[in-house]
Amino acid sequence: MPTIQCLNPDSMAKPLAAYSNIARVKASEYLFIAGQIGTDKNGKAPADFEAQCALVFEAIGAALASQGGGFANVVSFTSYLVHSQDIAKFAAYRAREFQRLFPGGAYPPNTLLIIDRLVAEAALIEIQTVAAV
Amino acid sequence: MPTIQCLNPDSMAKPLAAYSNIARVKASEYLFIAGQIGTDKNGKAPADFEAQCALVFEAIGAALASQGGGFANVVSFTSYLVHSQDIAKFAAYRAREFQRLFPGGAYPPNTLLIIDRLVAEAALIEIQTVAAV
Amino acid sequence: MPTIQCLNPDSMAKPLAAYSNIARVKASEYLFIAGQIGTDKNGKAPADFEAQCALVFEAIGAALASQGGGFANVVSFTSYLVHSQDIAKFAAYRAREFQRLFPGGAYPPNTLLIIDRLVAEAALIEIQTVAAV
């Protein structure tokens, strides 16, 4: 069993969204999960940003579950958005949904970046995940 | 010796290129390799995208070999392209060359991102690698 | 205690700035630190690029110190700049300041990427860090 501590030391600025500044991890096994985009099983991305978020976290959850884990095993998220206009929507989505995905309130570190484009032109968000199992 | 499993669980969308959705890794040592761009020994980047790809994978291979490893030790690629027009070329390059680099067919996870620019203006591709040895 | 070797094998191109091509790491615990931007305690980013760099490295230092570590524990930096015009300034900043932050001269690997924007519109630089403790 890994030991994962999500930490926000007082010496650092408080996170402005649902993430922690540090994950301290003691584990013998890691999962490196390819970046997941919000496409459905037919490869289509819904137009709605929140619908894409839901598909992204569903895919990450499926990856974790397939290895006997869950969101509590995540030690790092790196999130890529195509439009800065979606930054507030992404924060709102996590504020609402992470209470369910992370019931203990231990949110993993996240790095949020706004980039040109993702592999599929219609994709608005991609998240790369590292987990410890 | 590390244990590296490249996995594509049925509960996730099938990868559309030469990568796996998950690498499950049990290792005592990791290599973190700085992002490599496609410049030659004189620091010049060839104009051709495929020629840059070849130089990038040559550099990553040299990094791995220097530590007694090879491409089978890779647990994560993060690939950055400057032009979305090169997405198909990058997929084609990997479809062809990864059969040689990864003869066992165990392709590591990859996250593909399209960004503004790399450190050298002429660079079209950069790949960041994590490996277990 | 982790073992961290920052390596530049002769078979690879020499780094053009204050980083190494490879970190080889044997550790039982890792720190995944959320990307840090150059905002002060009131959430304001100074206009000056170098001032933002100083705040970023101050935040990373605080994260490392909170876990009983320091810059010698860093195994990977990923640095995001908003303007390519700051590439030379960032190299100059590190050339000057890393002598103090890394007195042993063992600079960790860095991947440098130029992207559209960071979470705060005024932020010019963000650095994501992995450390071994």
Side-chain angles (χ1 to χ4, degrees):
Chain A
M1 286 292 295
T3 306
I4 301 171
Q5 297 168 274
C6 291
L7 303 162
N8 287 303
D10 288 339
S11 53
M12 300 181 73
K14 283 199 198 313
L16 298 169
Y19 68 89
S20 299
N21 273 314
I22 308 172
R24 182 171 185 142
V25 187
K26 189 169 194 168
S28 59
E29 287 189 78
Y30 284 90
L31 305 179
F32 294 87
I33 303 174
Q36 299 294 316
I37 58 172
T39 44
D40 61 23
K41 303 219 165 169
N42 301 314
K44 286 210 174 150
D48 180 59
F49 177 76
E50 291 226 350
Q52 290 198 20
C53 289
L55 287 165
V56 165
F57 285 106
E58 194 180 301
I60 295 168
L64 296 163
S66 77
Q67 301 308 304
F71 282 96
N73 295 90
V74 174
V75 302
S76 173
F77 282 138
T78 308
S79 304
Y80 304 92
L81 302 184
V82 172
H83 301 308
S84 60
Q85 293 84 347
D86 291 333
I87 292 174
K89 291 182 201 170
F90 185 46
Y93 182 88
R94 289 182 293 164
R96 193 181 69 231
E97 298 295 330
F98 274 21
Q99 298 181 38
R100 182 175 55 82
L101 298 181
F102 300 90
Y107 303 136
N110 181 55
T111 298
L112 176 59
L113 306 159
I114 317 300
I115 66 169
D116 265 17
R117 217 196 93 152
L118 300 169
V119 60
E121 193 165 10
L124 302 171
I125 177 170
E126 176 154 357
I127 302 182
Q128 189 180 26
T129 306
V130 181
V133 287
Chain B
M1 285 292 295
T3 306
I4 301 170
Q5 296 169 276
C6 291
L7 303 161
N8 287 302
D10 288 340
S11 53
M12 300 182 73
K14 283 197 199 313
L16 298 168
Y19 68 88
S20 299
N21 273 313
I22 308 172
R24 182 172 185 143
V25 187
K26 190 170 193 167
S28 60
E29 286 190 79
Y30 283 90
L31 305 179
F32 295 86
I33 304 174
Q36 299 294 316
I37 58 173
T39 44
D40 60 24
K41 303 218 165 171
N42 301 315
K44 286 211 174 150
D48 179 59
F49 177 77
E50 291 226 351
Q52 291 198 18
C53 289
L55 287 165
V56 165
F57 284 106
E58 194 181 301
I60 295 168
L64 296 164
S66 77
Q67 300 308 306
F71 282 96
N73 295 90
V74 174
V75 302
S76 173
F77 282 138
T78 308
S79 304
Y80 303 91
L81 303 184
V82 171
H83 301 308
S84 60
Q85 292 84 347
D86 291 332
I87 293 174
K89 291 182 201 170
F90 185 46
Y93 182 88
R94 290 182 293 163
R96 192 180 71 231
E97 298 296 329
F98 274 21
Q99 298 181 37
R100 180 175 57 84
L101 298 181
F102 300 91
Y107 303 136
N110 181 56
T111 298
L112 177 58
L113 306 159
I114 317 300
I115 67 170
D116 265 17
R117 218 196 92 151
L118 300 169
V119 60
E121 193 164 10
L124 302 171
I125 177 169
E126 176 154 355
I127 302 182
Q128 190 180 25
T129 305
V130 182
V133 288
Chain C
M1 285 292 295
T3 307
I4 301 171
Q5 297 169 276
C6 291
L7 304 161
N8 287 303
D10 287 341
S11 53
M12 300 181 73
K14 282 197 197 316
L16 299 169
Y19 68 88
S20 299
N21 273 314
I22 307 172
R24 182 170 185 143
V25 187
K26 189 170 193 169
S28 60
E29 287 190 78
Y30 284 91
L31 305 179
F32 294 87
I33 304 174
Q36 299 295 316
I37 58 173
T39 45
D40 61 24
K41 302 217 166 171
N42 302 315
K44 286 211 174 150
D48 180 59
F49 177 76
E50 291 225 351
Q52 290 199 19
C53 290
L55 287 166
V56 165
F57 284 106
E58 195 181 300
I60 295 168
L64 295 164
S66 78
Q67 301 307 305
F71 282 96
N73 295 90
V74 174
V75 302
S76 173
F77 283 138
T78 308
S79 304
Y80 303 91
L81 302 184
V82 172
H83 301 309
S84 60
Q85 292 84 347
D86 292 332
I87 293 174
K89 291 183 203 171
F90 185 46
Y93 182 88
R94 290 182 293 163
R96 192 181 72 231
E97 298 295 330
F98 274 22
Q99 298 181 37
R100 182 175 56 85
L101 298 181
F102 300 91
Y107 303 136
N110 181 56
T111 299
L112 177 59
L113 306 158
I114 317 300
I115 67 169
D116 265 17
R117 218 197 92 151
L118 300 169
V119 61
E121 193 164 11
L124 301 171
I125 177 169
E126 176 156 356
I127 302 183
Q128 190 179 25
T129 306
V130 182
V133 287

